[in-house]
Amino acid sequence: MLSVAIEDSWKEKLSTEFGKEYFSQIVSFLKAEKASGKIIYPKGSDIFNAFTFTPFDQVKVVIIGQDPYHGPKQAHGLSFSVLPGINPPP
């Protein structure tokens, strides 16, 4: 099973998913894309930030979608936000 760095309550809820073949395939695909020179946003350590910053029992709604990030440092794993000092995408 892959090790994913997220908050413990989410890790408990999602651990079976992290061990499934489809998840391994996604990880392999992203690693291959990055190795081929493709740019992947957000950086790997930020992909699960939403799960890192909010424990499962504090979540009321989950909205799944694709964020419109176009440039470096915009994406940081939280939907439709950028870090302070970073211009938002158009």
Side-chain angles (χ1 to χ4, degrees):
M1 181 173 81
L2 295 169
S3 176
V4 178
I6 60 173
E7 194 272 330
D8 287 340
S9 62
W10 277 107
K11 187 174 279 193
E12 179 183 335
K13 298 287 184 187
L14 297 174
S15 64
T16 56
E17 295 304 308
F18 296 148
K20 292 183 179 177
E21 180 63 23
Y22 82 89
F23 194 83
S24 292
Q25 290 173 349
I26 291 170
V27 171
S28 294
F29 172 78
L30 290 173
K31 285 181 178 181
E33 291 290 288
K34 187 171 184 176
S36 75
K38 300 268 175 70
I39 298 171
I40 308 289
Y41 297 128
K43 64 182 180 178
S45 61
D46 287 345
I47 289 175
F48 290 104
N49 268 348
F51 297 116
T52 300
F53 295 130
T54 309
F56 181 81
D57 64 350
Q58 293 182 17
V59 173
K60 304 295 183 218
V61 175
V62 175
I63 299 172
I64 298 173
Q66 184 173 348
D67 293 338
Y69 298 115
H70 301 279
K73 300 182 182 179
Q74 290 176 334
H76 63 106
L78 300 177
S79 293
F80 299 99
S81 70
V82 293
L83 293 172
I86 303 296
N87 289 329

